[in-house]
Amino acid sequence: MSPSNPHTINQLRHLVYYHLDNDLLKNAVFLASRLHAYDVRSAESSSLLARCQFRLGQLQLAYESSRIQGARGLHLGCAYVFAQSCLSLHRYKEGIGALERSRGLWGGRSNWNKHSETSRRHLPDAAAVYCLLGKLWHGYGDPKKAVDYYVEALKINPFMWDAFLGLCDTGANIRIPNIFKMTPEMLAILSSTSNSEAHSDPFTVTEDAAASNAPQSDPFFGFPSRSEHASLGTGSAALFQKLNESTASNPTSAAAMTASASLGFDTMETPTGPSSGGGGGGGDGTFALGGSVGGAIAMAAAVEAPHAPSRKHRNFPGMDFSIGGPGRLRNASSKPRSAARAESDEVSESLRVSTLAAAGERKRTISGQVAQPSSSQANDPSAAPQRRSERLFNQIRPTSSKFSSSTGSVGMREGRELKKAKATGTKGRPGGTSAMVGRVVSGNRKAAENADVDSKENQSAVPNGHLPGAIPRSSPTELSKKQEALQWVLDLFAKLGAGYFALTHFQCPDALQIFNSITPAQRETTWVLAQIGRALYEQGSYPEAEKYFRKIRLLSPSRLEDMEIYSTVLWHLKNEVELAYLAHELVDIDRLSPQAWCAIGNTFSLQRDHDQALKCFKRATQLDPSFAYAFTHQGHEHVTNEEYDKALAAYRCGISADSRYYVAWYGLGKVYEKMGKYDVAEKHYRTAMGINPTNALLICCVGMVLEKLKNPRAALVQYAEACNLAPKSTMSRFKKARVLMALQEPHLALAELRVLKDTAPDDANVHFLLGKLYKMLRQRANAIKHFTIALNLDPKAGQFIKDAIESLEEDDEGDEAVMA
């Protein structure tokens, strides 16, 4: 098999990521398949193919594509996609093993604050892997290990909201301020990010960054290829035109320059000049693209302009016509140049000087200083003389080692140095070693004037004298603003997390208070409104909960999440029309969603068509086997049909789906209570009460079981606690009054019933119990009064009420006989 071409592989990868970014998943899968077929042995190709398949929803294919490299933990990308597929396919142990085997690839890795619109990390970091491990252990049925991994994920990245939700769903007791807080690690990353942003330009890419962000490591962080720098627009074209004009005397050099421009910066080589030092170009390997000067300065900063060809001269001792530097001797026998040739040379020299001034420094030593001609070269009269433009450039160039890293005003400093050079010019001295700019004959002043004009233009074109590629200082104010923004996000997460934590622990008043303290813009979102509606539902405030769910429907008509709770609220309110309308809308949105089928099931249940309701709830469990709500309501329908064995099976399935779903535990207790197994029922009721200790109904159920177990004193304690939790609960107060009557405490029972009469004046049971209480107190008139009210409110129970009235008359007759 022929070796793969890396350029072809990179091109296919770029195409795959392009389609992934644009959510063209089918195209991405097709291209990833081509890449995998072309480079079948590469783990990166397998990871990319599995990732595309997973995002498209092809879970089994993603599992198979990533299994070879992922199951053994050889490649992090394959292992992560493999574990995600295992989570969706309920193969939890395989996913856990793959991630544990690849721990060496992701341990200690953090990508927090490293993602942007142009820079991404396609491989997961430790926080993401810990979160996935928590989900896998949670699904496997080990909440302790799940909690450990969720905590590790939040330690690394407190914004891992999914890990926080999983932590709350396990029922762990956590401290919110210890999670959403500013850590020293976050401050260090933030400050380093600010410094890197301050020292970077959106059009500047360093070679180190380019090497570290190659397509193999991070294909999302793209950068222009070096060949693209040669065609940046009219600015670069003008630069090359100037360079070609300056080398017009040498056609070979001009052709080489044109070829170098077409090939890119990698193929351009700096000719060896008189000075020794490092390679040409910027010392930091920075490519500055574009700018306000049309790209000419940026191009010159990226690559050094080549030398003009050196002229050959004969040296005559004792003759020196130079201004400074090594002596330049002119051949006495050579003819003088023509005026046109001299003018052409002056223009060429001035253009090359201005180009070199814009381009930055020439060759430097290892220490960063300008390389000076060696002493042997200066003393040797046969050595190639230093060019006039080089002497001029050595005088006017800045002292910094990097053109693009000057922190001051580059254009202003250059302008000042040029003016100083012009003002302090002196006549040259024969044999002098200092290169001072003075009165010269051939264009020296002209070049300086051109450079001065260019510096003024650059200073006026760029604010504050900064040129493109100049590195600004990291502003402390900007860093403090970023810290304030990060603290604001942490505070928001802390409030949302505290509210959700309180709700999952059924501290509904606290959750409502926290959610209502959030800013209106955040509070009026569907997620927060849904949590408020759930809190009101748990409190039994169904009319208020309906208002919030109705607002959610207005804000997001296509939302399916939490709609099963809304259907339950409408069921409790006996709002048959709204419930049926909600079910039809949810089916239109997604007929394969479990929420839609649960809403249909509640509609049939409200219409007392329990068989149809059972079918709908069963369909919901088929669509989502982890939907505990559907299993639990399926059990409720079986209880209504008195199918207790099937109800027990449905409730147990609900507990398997979610062990903290207290309604399923309540259902088990209710079934055992109906079967007469009160001790088993008490056990399950107490389990449900341990999950939700603030539910008055569960506490009343425990009291009822204790009452049937002939333990009224313990039952009275439960009823009193229920009344304290829910003062408006009629059932708990009614049960309490009845137990007080059984304990021969009629006056305490009368106080409870009077409150209950004001709370529920149309309840026949309340008036019937009041009649019996007045009968105990031998208040016959009040007893008859309340018996009569009960008879009018519930005619179906007329026989029981009449028997109570007759027994009252018999008691009166018996009392009269005793007195006689």
Side-chain angles (χ1 to χ4, degrees):
M1 182 177 179
S2 60
S4 302
N5 187 351
H7 298 285
T8 304
I9 294 173
N10 289 339
Q11 183 61 41
L12 287 172
R13 284 178 182 169
H14 287 313
L15 290 173
V16 172
Y17 283 114
Y18 168 81
H19 289 93
L20 279 176
D21 283 345
N22 291 278
D23 289 327
L24 301 172
L25 300 180
K26 289 186 178 180
N27 294 345
V29 169
F30 177 78
L31 288 165
S33 301
R34 302 309 101 213
L35 173 62
H36 185 262
Y38 185 79
D39 192 16
V40 68
R41 296 181 179 178
S42 172
E44 185 71 25
S45 301
S46 301
S47 171
L48 198 54
L49 176 60
R51 180 181 175 188
C52 295
Q53 292 169 341
F54 181 80
R55 289 186 59 177
L56 190 59
Q58 299 174 350
L59 304 178
Q60 190 65 38
L61 289 177
Y63 172 85
E64 295 173 357
S65 299
S66 59
R67 182 169 54 87
I68 296 176
Q69 300 288 339
R72 294 180 291 174
L74 301 178
H75 187 268
L76 178 56
C78 290
Y80 191 72
V81 176
F82 180 76
Q84 285 181 311
S85 303
C86 290
L87 178 64
S88 301
L89 297 173
H90 306 290
R91 300 175 180 177
Y92 306 112
K93 202 64 178 176
E94 295 183 39
I96 293 170
L99 293 179
E100 290 293 346
R101 294 185 192 99
S102 63
R103 180 179 288 271
L105 301 176
W106 54 264
R109 180 182 183 137
S110 177
N111 293 337
W112 179 79
N113 208 32
K114 296 181 182 179
H115 289 72
S116 64
E117 294 182 357
T118 57
S119 173
R120 297 180 193 146
R121 303 293 187 271
H122 66 289
L123 292 178
D125 61 350
V129 177
Y130 278 132
C131 181
L132 183 56
L133 279 170
K135 294 179 182 179
L136 288 168
W137 280 112
H138 197 179
Y140 187 69
D142 194 339
K144 281 190 174 182
K145 290 188 177 180
V147 167
D148 293 339
Y149 284 113
Y150 285 144
V151 169
E152 291 297 326
L154 290 170
K155 283 181 180 179
I156 300 173
N157 187 355
F159 301 104
M160 193 68 67
W161 185 250
D162 209 9
F164 177 78
L165 295 182
L167 196 61
C168 292
D169 292 338
T170 57
N173 190 12
I174 57 179
R175 294 182 179 180
I176 305 298
N178 292 341
I179 296 177
F180 303 107
K181 65 179 181 180
M182 189 84 71
T183 61
E185 292 80 6
M186 295 172 65
L187 290 175
I189 294 174
L190 194 64
S191 60
S192 63
T193 305
S194 300
N195 292 333
S196 63
E197 289 178 357
H199 288 74
S200 64
D201 190 282
F203 297 100
T204 302
V205 179
T206 62
E207 289 181 350
D208 295 337
S212 62
N213 294 312
Q216 301 91 302
S217 59
D218 191 358
F220 281 106
F221 190 81
F223 56 94
S225 63
R226 295 179 178 178
S227 60
E228 293 174 1
H229 293 276
S231 56
L232 295 176
T234 58
S236 58
L239 173 63
F240 283 113
Q241 183 179 359
K242 291 181 180 181
L243 294 175
N244 290 334
E245 289 175 357
S246 65
T247 58
S249 61
N250 193 344
T252 305
S253 177
M257 191 64 186
T258 306
S260 300
S262 62
L263 292 176
F265 293 146
D266 288 338
T267 59
M268 299 179 68
E269 298 180 356
T270 304
T272 304
S275 61
S276 62
D284 59 349
T286 301
F287 296 97
L289 310 182
S292 60
V293 291
I297 294 178
M299 179 67 70
V303 62
E304 180 186 357
H307 289 261
S310 60
R311 300 185 183 89
K312 295 181 180 180
H313 300 282
R314 290 183 182 179
N315 300 332
F316 289 86
M319 300 182 65
D320 189 0
F321 296 93
S322 63
I323 303 303
R328 176 174 295 180
L329 302 180
R330 181 172 296 178
N331 190 354
S333 63
S334 61
K335 297 181 180 180
R337 293 181 301 177
S338 62
R341 178 67 178 271
E343 183 178 358
S344 174
D345 285 347
E346 290 176 4
V347 173
S348 174
E349 291 289 327
S350 63
L351 286 175
R352 200 169 70 85
V353 167
S354 62
T355 303
L356 291 173
E361 297 177 348
R362 300 189 57 79
K363 295 185 177 297
R364 295 181 174 275
T365 62
I366 296 176
S367 62
Q369 301 297 327
V370 179
Q372 301 293 336
S374 62
S375 60
S376 61
Q377 196 175 23
N379 298 327
D380 188 7
S382 63
Q386 188 179 22
R387 294 186 58 81
R388 179 174 63 255
S389 60
E390 293 179 7
R391 295 197 305 273
L392 174 63
F393 182 65
N394 288 336
Q395 288 294 321
I396 66 174
R397 62 184 166 198
T399 58
S400 64
S401 63
K402 298 180 182 179
F403 174 77
S404 61
S405 62
S406 60
T407 57
S409 177
V410 178
M412 295 175 65
R413 183 168 68 246
E414 288 182 354
R416 288 196 298 268
E417 291 176 357
L418 283 171
K419 292 177 182 178
K420 182 178 179 181
K422 290 173 62 178
T424 60
T426 60
K427 292 184 179 181
R429 298 176 182 177
T433 57
S434 62
M436 300 293 292
V437 179
R439 286 188 298 123
V440 292
V441 188
S442 60
N444 191 15
R445 181 185 301 275
K446 195 171 187 178
E449 290 174 356
N450 291 339
D452 191 18
V453 171
D454 290 341
S455 65
K456 289 181 180 180
E457 290 176 354
N458 294 339
Q459 177 182 349
S460 61
V462 183
N464 299 326
H466 286 289
L467 290 178
I471 301 174
R473 293 184 182 271
S474 179
S475 174
T477 306
E478 183 180 357
L479 180 59
S480 63
K481 288 182 179 179
K482 289 186 176 182
Q483 292 179 0
E484 290 177 2
L486 181 60
Q487 188 61 51
W488 184 89
V489 177
L490 286 170
D491 293 340
L492 176 62
F493 270 58
K495 286 186 178 180
L496 294 174
Y500 187 81
F501 174 78
L503 180 58
T504 53
H505 286 71
F506 302 100
Q507 301 169 1
C508 299
D510 296 339
L512 290 173
Q513 182 180 0
I514 295 171
F515 285 130
N516 288 324
S517 66
I518 300 176
T519 58
Q522 296 291 331
R523 186 173 61 249
E524 295 299 320
T525 56
T526 55
W527 188 86
V528 177
L529 292 175
Q531 307 314 309
I532 295 175
R534 286 182 56 193
L536 293 170
Y537 162 76
E538 294 293 344
Q539 283 186 330
S541 304
Y542 303 122
E544 290 80 4
E546 182 191 8
K547 295 178 183 178
Y548 281 94
F549 282 112
R550 188 174 295 174
K551 187 181 293 186
I552 293 172
R553 296 288 299 160
L554 292 175
L555 291 175
S556 180
S558 300
R559 180 184 173 91
L560 293 171
E561 190 177 359
D562 298 314
M563 287 300 105
E564 74 278 2
I565 304 296
Y566 184 27
S567 65
T568 308
V569 169
L570 295 175
W571 186 91
H572 282 289
L573 294 175
K574 311 299 180 184
N575 196 338
E576 190 172 338
V577 176
E578 285 294 330
L579 182 55
Y581 182 69
L582 174 65
H584 280 290
E585 281 193 328
L586 295 180
V587 169
D588 291 339
I589 295 170
D590 186 5
R591 59 183 299 271
L592 297 180
S593 63
Q595 293 88 353
W597 286 98
C598 286
I600 299 173
N602 284 328
T603 303
F604 283 118
S605 177
L606 188 58
Q607 296 173 356
R608 300 184 183 278
D609 192 347
H610 303 293
D611 293 334
Q612 291 296 328
L614 273 172
K615 292 180 181 179
C616 295
F617 289 127
K618 285 181 180 178
R619 178 58 177 160
T621 59
Q622 292 172 357
L623 293 171
D624 187 359
S626 62
F627 203 48
Y629 177 93
F631 284 113
T632 304
H633 281 70
Q634 183 180 341
H636 292 344
E637 300 302 321
H638 283 305
V639 170
T640 305
N641 290 338
E642 297 183 355
E643 298 171 348
Y644 298 132
D645 293 336
K646 294 181 179 179
L648 290 174
Y651 288 134
R652 290 190 180 110
C653 289
I655 293 172
S656 299
D658 185 2
S659 60
R660 294 192 73 249
Y661 194 61
Y662 73 94
V663 183
W665 290 102
Y666 160 80
L668 285 175
K670 181 61 67 176
V671 171
Y672 283 116
E673 182 183 357
K674 288 181 175 293
M675 295 172 65
K677 299 179 180 181
Y678 301 122
D679 51 348
V680 182
E682 180 189 359
K683 177 182 176 181
H684 288 91
Y685 280 145
R686 289 192 179 275
T687 303
M689 192 172 67
I691 299 172
N692 185 1
T694 62
N695 192 297
L697 176 61
L698 294 176
I699 300 174
C700 282
C701 290
V702 174
M704 291 167 60
V705 172
L706 292 174
E707 194 176 353
K708 292 177 180 179
L709 289 172
K710 309 299 181 182
N711 192 354
R713 292 288 179 184
L716 180 61
V717 173
Q718 300 296 325
Y719 293 144
E721 184 179 355
C723 290
N724 293 331
L725 288 173
K728 296 182 179 180
S729 175
T730 58
M731 186 180 69
S732 57
R733 199 169 293 276
F734 181 82
K735 300 286 186 182
K736 181 180 179 182
R738 192 173 64 180
V739 171
L740 288 172
M741 290 175 61
L743 293 174
Q744 300 299 321
E745 295 182 1
H747 296 286
L748 295 176
L750 181 59
E752 298 292 338
L753 288 174
R754 283 177 177 173
V755 175
L756 195 58
K757 182 184 69 172
D758 297 334
T759 305
D762 297 332
D763 193 341
N765 293 321
V766 173
H767 291 282
F768 181 74
L769 193 59
L770 269 172
K772 293 179 67 175
L773 180 59
Y774 282 120
K775 178 183 175 181
M776 288 177 61
L777 295 174
R778 297 185 179 279
Q779 297 181 12
R780 185 173 183 277
N782 289 330
I784 294 175
K785 173 184 174 182
H786 287 284
F787 281 142
T788 306
I789 294 174
L791 182 61
N792 293 331
L793 292 173
D794 190 6
K796 294 181 180 179
Q799 186 63 39
F800 297 99
I801 298 173
K802 290 178 180 179
D803 293 342
I805 295 174
E806 291 177 358
S807 64
L808 180 62
E809 294 178 353
E810 290 176 357
D811 291 341
D812 291 340
E813 292 177 357
D815 292 340
E816 290 178 357
V818 170
M819 290 177 64

